[in-house]
Amino acid sequence: MARKLTPKQQGFANDYLKTGNATLAVQKNFNVTTENSAAAIGSELLRIPKIRAYIEAKAERAAE
């Protein structure tokens, strides 16, 4: 990974790995008022290459 994740991004990624639910992961790590906003933000976060790379790397390590 070229750049480190922010603490919120890392928290999101870790919670996403635990739950498999981007909306819940956003609600836990970001100050979001509605479920629709959390879902939209979660979708955006999952498209960020450094977050995807972090999630994929952690998932691979967990599968070993």
Side-chain angles (χ1 to χ4, degrees):
M1 284 172 280
R3 297 181 195 153
K4 291 183 92 175
L5 301 179
T6 67
K8 286 184 178 186
Q9 289 173 332
Q10 189 170 0
F12 164 80
N14 289 332
D15 287 331
Y16 177 74
L17 284 166
K18 289 177 192 171
T19 66
N21 187 316
T23 302
L24 292 177
V26 168
Q27 289 173 326
K28 187 169 181 182
N29 292 282
F30 293 86
N31 186 19
V32 180
T33 57
T34 68
E35 190 171 334
N36 286 340
S37 295
I41 293 167
S43 176
E44 290 177 26
L45 289 170
L46 288 173
R47 285 183 261 162
I48 296 173
K50 66 183 180 180
I51 294 175
R52 292 239 29 108
Y54 178 86
I55 290 170
E56 290 169 6
K58 287 280 239 180
E60 283 179 21
R61 277 187 244 133
E64 293 177 347

